[in-house]
Amino acid sequence: MSFLNVFKNSLPWVHSPLIANAPMSGAATSELAIAVTLAGGLGQIGFMDDIRELSKELQFARENLQDLMATLPNPQVLPIGVGVIVFGSPMEAWMRLFKTHQPAVVWLSFAGTDEMRKWTEAIRQASPETRVWVQLGSVKAALDVEQACHPDALVLQGSDAGGHGHQNGASIVSLIPEVADTLLEHGMSNIPLVAAGGIVDGRGTAAALALGTSGVVMGTRFLAAPETHIPQIYRDAILNASDGGQATARSRVFDEIWGPNFWPTTYDGRCLRNKVYDQYASGMNVEKIRSWLSTAMNGPGSESLNIQDMGSIWAGTGVGIVRRMERASDIVRDVREDALKRIDALARRN
Ligand SMILES: Cc1cc2nc3c(=O)[nH]c(=O)nc-3n(C[C@H](O)[C@H](O)[C@H](O)COP(=O)(O)O)c2cc1C
């Protein structure tokens, strides 16, 4: 089996190369997941604190994917992925959810190796048909997780990614080959690799495949899709941003500004750059920035504040290439077809 269709058995509805939407907490709900799956990608629902709400989302997805499911070898398996932010999540409640809904993929992120191992084992017991994918952002984490958990795929998240990720990271251009070499040296090169971070179109997808992955995950690109649940003002800020490396920044301040930061110190996050970030970078302490923000938001002149200053708008460096709203199904098909065309052109050297 070619490395491009390694998901043929586990995700039989998926067209090659695999295109998935990132399970973006709060933004990727069943509506997006259904649209991406029906376009032959892996649709995913993002982490929710409220497991009852998530259960309703999964039920809605099941109702809307009935026709597709009836054509699949195992019609009980729900052809979508579910994201879990592992640290702080109650494992038993999640396992009950997985047992009931049998998602095709559970995507684990943000925890140490030991916790990842416990979750992987528990998921396999609760729902044996479910494949466990782990997202991580360093060579060491990839090796440790592969050795301890043997997940079904490793999602390698580069530092261009929007949202949370490893504070000390590398772009996928160096991360993926180093992870692949390291796994090979340890005799563990069979695991499918999936790329995430800065990929927004067929060019990035073709590049990620050339780096040795079997598919890509996009978050920022799907923020432009109407099926993604974000306020229009947030989407407009994404569509208007340009020069992604300048327009976004990685920092822990995006979590610290709203109260105690519960995120483990390994992680920070990439957002649209704003006044909060600029003040923090110039040395102002968080207490002072909080008090400035509260006065600015509630006092006279608040109308001059930018939407980016009033909330943390998570987005990756690819944001400058995302220019217009497009349906999720069009995004999946266009990116897939363009990537294949580019690979063919490169193979023919024209
Ligand atoms: C708005 C937003 C929310 C995100 N939420 C999550 C999350 O809940 N869990 C997770 O593992 N990753 C999350 N991510 C990171 C994605 O999984 C993925 O690594 C990232 O979107 C890839 O980079 P890109 O945004 O450049 O495509 C989020 C990303 C964004 C943009």
Side-chain angles (χ1 to χ4, degrees):
M1 193 186 298
S2 128
F3 78 101
L4 274 187
N5 59 9
V6 289
F7 301 112
K8 203 173 179 333
N9 294 330
S10 56
L11 312 174
W13 73 93
V14 160
H15 300 204
S16 167
L18 171 125
I19 312 280
N21 72 276
M24 298 178 281
S25 184
T29 56
S30 54
E31 198 184 342
L32 179 64
I34 291 164
V36 171
T37 285
L38 288 177
L42 172 63
Q44 304 203 81
I45 298 180
F47 175 78
M48 287 183 184
D49 262 338
D50 184 338
I51 293 195
R52 255 185 292 173
E53 270 310 304
L54 179 55
S55 188
K56 283 189 208 157
E57 289 287 314
L58 289 165
Q59 186 53 37
F60 183 74
R62 181 170 292 274
E63 283 156 19
N64 283 274
L65 292 170
Q66 277 302 318
D67 291 350
L68 171 66
M69 289 166 71
T71 67
L72 298 177
N74 189 338
Q76 288 314 309
V77 172
L78 184 60
I80 62 166
V82 180
V84 187
I85 294 178
V86 173
F87 78 88
S89 287
M91 197 164 84
E92 277 174 28
W94 280 89
M95 293 313 137
R96 283 195 294 275
L97 183 90
F98 298 147
K99 196 172 179 171
T100 308
H101 292 283
Q102 296 186 60
V105 169
V106 170
W107 160 301
L108 303 177
S109 54
F110 310 126
T113 306
D114 209 38
E115 257 187 299
M116 291 295 192
R117 184 184 50 73
K118 286 184 198 144
W119 276 73
T120 306
E121 286 169 2
I123 293 164
R124 286 181 171 152
Q125 222 173 15
S127 176
E129 296 296 326
T130 295
R131 306 302 156 122
V132 181
W133 290 22
V134 179
Q135 174 173 253
L136 30 76
S138 79
V139 176
K140 182 174 176 351
L143 182 61
D144 288 352
V145 162
E146 175 54 12
Q147 277 172 332
C149 317
H150 308 293
D152 298 288
L154 285 177
V155 183
L156 302 176
Q157 186 198 39
S159 52
D160 288 315
H164 291 90
H166 279 238
Q167 189 162 201
N168 297 315
S171 78
I172 56 169
V173 175
S174 52
L175 175 66
I176 291 168
E178 193 181 346
V179 167
D181 288 352
T182 306
L183 293 175
L184 185 63
E185 278 161 24
H186 287 78
M188 296 183 299
S189 59
N190 277 340
I191 176 135
L193 304 178
V194 177
I199 302 161
V200 289
D201 60 15
R203 294 170 291 186
T205 301
L209 298 173
L211 290 169
T213 63
S214 300
V216 302
V217 175
M218 298 185 292
T220 301
R221 175 75 191 261
F222 283 105
L223 294 176
E227 294 90 343
T228 303
H229 277 239
I230 52 173
Q232 188 58 35
I233 196 161
Y234 183 145
R235 197 176 342 264
D236 288 343
I238 297 290
L239 298 177
N240 290 329
S242 60
D243 201 353
Q246 298 291 314
T248 65
R250 293 201 78 89
S251 178
R252 284 178 62 82
V253 76
F254 298 119
D255 287 301
E256 269 154 23
I257 195 69
W258 306 111
N261 185 357
F262 298 108
W263 281 82
T265 50
T266 327
Y267 307 109
D268 64 3
R270 188 179 286 281
C271 279
L272 289 185
R273 189 169 156 181
N274 60 9
K275 268 200 187 131
V276 167
Y277 172 81
D278 287 342
Q279 287 177 333
Y280 185 70
S282 67
M284 195 187 273
N285 77 34
V286 173
E287 283 306 323
K288 268 206 171 142
I289 305 174
R290 277 189 197 147
S291 131
W292 161 77
L293 188 60
S294 155
T295 313
M297 279 171 73
N298 301 314
S302 61
E303 62 284 353
S304 70
L305 268 184
N306 192 309
I307 168 73
Q308 286 165 233
D309 296 321
M310 293 190 275
S312 300
I313 300 193
W314 307 99
T317 59
V319 71
I321 313 169
V322 180
R323 290 292 171 84
R324 57 178 194 278
M325 252 174 102
E326 270 171 301
R327 299 204 68 77
S329 56
D330 292 336
I331 294 176
V332 174
R333 292 191 187 105
D334 287 354
V335 171
R336 188 167 58 218
E337 280 161 26
D338 191 45
L340 289 172
K341 262 192 228 150
R342 285 173 188 279
I343 291 167
D344 281 349
L346 285 168
R348 291 196 310 272
R349 297 195 199 169
N350 63 10

